[in-house]
Amino acid sequence: MLRFLVRRLALTIPVLVGVATLVFALIHLIPGDPAHAMLGETAAEEDVQALRERLGLDRPLLEQYGRFLGGAVRGDLGTSLRTNEPVATAVVDRLPATMELAAAAMVIAIGAALPLGIIAAVGRGTVVDHAATTLSLVGVSIPNFWLGPLLAIVFAVELGWLPVSGRGTWAHLVLPAISLGAALGAILARMTRASLLEELREPYVQAARARGASRARAVLRHAFRNSLIPVVTLVGLQFGAVLTGAVITETIFAWPGIGRLLIQSIGFRDYPLVQGCILFIAVTYVGMNLLTDLVYGVLDPRIRYE
Amino acid sequence: MSKVGGAIVLVAVLAAVVGPWLAPFDPADQELALRLAGPTGAHWFGLDELGRDIFTRVLVGARISLMVGLVVVSVSSTVGIALGSVAGYFGGRIDEGISRLIDILLAFPGLLLAIAVVAVLGPSLTNVVLALTLIGWVGYARLVRGQVLRARELEFVQAARALGASTPRILVRHIIPTTLPAVTVQATLGMGGAILAEAALSFLGLGVQPPTPSWGTMLNYGRGHLLDAPHLTIFPGLAIAALVLGFNFLGDGLRDAIDPAMRGRRT
């Protein structure tokens, strides 16, 4: 297990360096002079020069790159152009809101997907299966930037049951979490169905039935538990989709998380903050994928020896 | 379901091709006195915040969505096939280099890199296509690389090699065609993905800019009128969901038809 862990960690380091390099390169993709672009065309030349010096844009490229990587390792991502707040502080301050939303979305997705997937697999080929499969495909196809406003129209505007935006009570969390979790739930339901169908064909399930286990017990105690391995992996891998979806969901529901911070900082051309948000989300995603790999290695020992 | 998907896509293609001529109004025509009015016999989907006919704009918007989908999928799949087959066939350092690049790009979840690229290049249709292509090729390259790794050991490929066929000929005539069924499925599903991504970027204000009618941009403007004019949100969103669902149905159907395991189960 230790060798597996070390090998996976070793594979992650070049990816992280590559991610940081791409994020560093972003500021240099800005057409023309980045400092001019950040301050606007009408900015005074001395202000532009001051910003260049502040961001180190007047230094040789390699030196800029070295400082960026060094800063990223130490958790120093510069300061926001608009608020002068350290970028790392701004991002970390928004982290609990994003994590709360992501966790709630995943709980809703898993809670809906597992029963739906089981019902579809057990009743394979029946009307229930077709209905569940179609529902999950519809769920994948409905964009969260449409589902969110629709839910708000029905449950906040028409029925007045839930608040339309903001963060505070659990009621504020319901609509954003459903909006963010729907697509993930649909994907998980499809995977649960496919994985459970595979397991139901295995001899050990028939053996359990032959030993007198009821159909429900054979499905839930035997086949379902084994079918969860790919589902757990998919939950981990889909965490990235949840983080990206949070950018949109947080914007719709004015949820004060990292995604909303990213979109606001793009609007203000606060590029150090844009870089910080993107780097943070990408590194979190890489970390989550690594964790998923390790959990998969624990659940299925064959993976460790591949 | 693939027939339903095919029908939805066909309707969207027809809307994109002949819609602008069939549309009852000009997409830029404004009836300010009727701004935000709901659906009526004359204006089936109602009017937007500038008094423009939403039905007409949804019809014309199909053109933008399909065009983005087509360009992104064509360029991404071409680049992905080229790099994936080179990596899979030659192996070694070339494969190492391309695979590491794929790993790095895959480390950015979903739309994040596209958001980042459009954020620095500026919001426009061209930049959206560029950003989506930049991340789009990766999926095709990974898929094709895997397929080529398997195909290069097949007997007919070794026979071609023994007969003295050149490497480009072996790749283009013998190996790449074996990857096309899987690429076709991925491209069909990718159309839905690209349409959704364009709409998402436009919704965030990073994509197609007004007055060009794009479904995502229309949804973005609808956000400000959820309370007084929900039809601004309902109809463009319905168009996006229907078209993406159409491509997903079609892609799923194609995958079932192509996958020998699925075929085996049916017969």
Side-chain angles (χ1 to χ4, degrees):
Chain A
M1 186 65 198
L2 189 66
R3 272 188 65 192
F4 173 69
L5 182 75
V6 170
R7 206 173 65 220
R8 280 286 183 268
L9 279 174
L11 283 174
T12 304
I13 290 166
V15 170
L16 285 176
V17 173
V19 166
T21 306
L22 265 184
V23 173
F24 165 77
L26 277 178
I27 213 160
H28 296 281
L29 279 177
I30 297 172
D33 179 3
H36 243 302
M38 289 181 218
L39 293 176
E41 290 308 311
T42 53
E45 189 48 43
E46 55 264 35
D47 292 339
V48 175
Q49 185 54 34
L51 182 61
R52 262 188 224 122
E53 284 169 20
R54 180 179 156 188
L55 297 177
L57 293 170
D58 54 342
R59 308 276 172 82
L61 197 62
L62 265 181
E63 190 186 328
Q64 289 182 43
Y65 179 58
R67 285 160 69 113
F68 181 82
L69 279 190
V73 169
R74 293 192 308 274
D76 175 9
L77 301 169
T79 52
S80 159
L81 295 183
R82 199 168 63 92
T83 62
N84 273 327
E85 187 184 12
V87 168
T89 310
V91 172
V92 170
D93 280 352
R94 266 68 164 199
L95 184 62
T98 297
M99 286 303 153
E100 182 183 309
L101 177 59
M106 292 188 107
V107 167
I108 287 174
I110 295 167
L114 296 187
L116 202 66
I118 294 172
I119 292 168
V122 171
R124 187 179 180 224
T126 63
V127 177
V128 179
D129 179 25
H130 287 308
T133 311
T134 307
L135 184 67
S136 60
L137 211 49
V138 170
V140 175
S141 308
I142 291 183
N144 67 349
F145 50 86
W146 186 50
L147 183 62
L150 276 191
L151 292 172
I153 289 171
V154 176
F155 294 101
V157 178
E158 295 295 330
L159 299 171
W161 290 353
L162 295 161
V164 74
S165 63
R167 178 180 179 232
T169 63
W170 67 268
H172 286 92
L173 188 58
V174 177
L175 293 182
I178 294 176
S179 157
L180 183 56
L184 174 65
I187 295 168
L188 286 180
R190 284 161 68 85
M191 175 55 107
T192 306
R193 175 186 178 272
S195 175
L196 186 55
L197 276 178
E198 289 292 322
E199 292 302 325
L200 287 174
R201 285 190 207 105
E202 295 292 327
Y204 72 84
V205 178
Q206 288 157 22
R209 289 281 281 148
R211 284 198 306 271
S214 66
R215 185 153 188 251
R217 190 182 165 84
V219 170
L220 295 174
R221 284 288 302 234
H222 298 279
F224 175 63
R225 285 172 67 162
N226 283 331
S227 74
L228 275 180
I229 294 176
V231 177
V232 169
T233 311
L234 190 66
V235 169
L237 295 178
Q238 283 294 320
F239 187 71
V242 172
L243 284 179
T244 318
V247 174
I248 294 168
T249 308
E250 288 177 4
T251 306
I252 296 169
F253 291 99
W255 188 265
I258 297 170
R260 186 158 179 250
L261 181 69
L262 169 65
I263 298 302
Q264 284 174 331
S265 50
I266 290 173
F268 290 119
R269 294 184 191 172
D270 192 344
Y271 288 109
L273 201 46
V274 172
Q275 283 180 306
C277 291
I278 288 173
L279 186 63
F280 188 84
I281 295 175
V283 169
T284 308
Y285 181 49
V286 172
M288 196 63 197
N289 282 353
L290 176 67
L291 194 66
T292 308
D293 256 14
L294 298 180
V295 170
Y296 199 14
V298 172
L299 291 176
D300 189 346
R302 287 171 300 183
I303 295 295
R304 289 181 232 160
Y305 303 106
E306 270 183 10
Chain B
M1 282 304 167
S2 53
K3 284 181 186 163
V4 177
I8 294 171
V9 171
L10 190 66
V11 169
V13 170
L14 281 176
V17 175
V18 296
W21 288 283
L22 294 180
F25 300 92
D26 186 285
D29 272 356
Q30 299 181 6
E31 287 186 67
L32 287 171
L34 290 175
R35 59 188 294 274
L36 300 177
T40 61
H43 299 282
W44 296 353
F45 291 177
L47 294 109
D48 68 7
E49 74 282 5
L50 293 174
R52 296 171 298 191
D53 183 58
I54 295 177
F55 178 69
T56 301
R57 293 178 70 77
V58 167
L59 268 187
V60 178
R63 195 172 266 205
I64 301 276
S65 290
L66 283 170
M67 193 195 71
V68 169
L70 264 179
V71 175
V72 169
V73 165
S74 313
V75 179
S76 301
S77 57
T78 308
V79 174
I81 289 172
L83 290 179
S85 52
V86 165
Y89 188 79
F90 291 104
R93 285 191 175 176
I94 296 176
D95 184 25
E96 261 308 295
I98 294 174
S99 295
R100 286 297 80 79
L101 185 59
I102 290 174
D103 286 346
I104 291 166
L105 289 175
L106 284 177
F108 289 89
L111 263 184
L112 189 70
L113 196 57
I115 290 175
V117 171
V118 178
V120 295
L121 293 182
S124 77
L125 183 58
T126 314
N127 290 343
V128 165
V129 171
L130 189 72
L132 295 181
T133 308
L134 203 67
I135 53 169
W137 68 270
V138 178
Y140 295 96
R142 200 169 56 155
L143 173 76
V144 169
R145 178 184 170 273
Q147 301 251 326
V148 170
L149 275 176
R150 208 178 50 206
R152 71 176 181 183
E153 305 303 334
L154 294 176
E155 280 178 7
F156 65 87
V157 174
Q158 290 177 1
R161 215 175 283 139
L163 286 168
S166 66
T167 303
R169 186 182 167 85
I170 292 174
L171 273 174
V172 174
R173 291 293 297 268
H174 300 287
I175 291 186
I176 289 176
T178 66
T179 69
L180 291 184
V183 170
T184 308
V185 173
Q186 178 132 336
T188 312
L189 295 169
M191 280 291 292
I195 289 166
L196 213 48
E198 180 276 315
L201 289 171
S202 296
F203 174 78
L204 291 171
L206 301 172
V208 178
Q209 296 299 298
T212 309
S214 142
W215 294 341
T217 311
M218 291 164 80
L219 273 183
N220 188 20
Y221 283 97
R223 215 156 36 111
H225 296 283
L226 276 188
L227 298 174
D228 53 337
H231 62 276
L232 263 66
T233 296
I234 292 170
F235 294 110
L238 201 59
I240 297 169
L243 187 53
V244 173
L245 185 68
F247 277 113
N248 284 348
F249 274 157
L250 205 57
D252 251 26
L254 276 177
R255 181 163 45 200
D256 289 357
I258 287 168
D259 185 351
M262 295 298 292
R263 246 200 328 254
R265 266 176 233 156
R266 280 212 197 90
T267 49

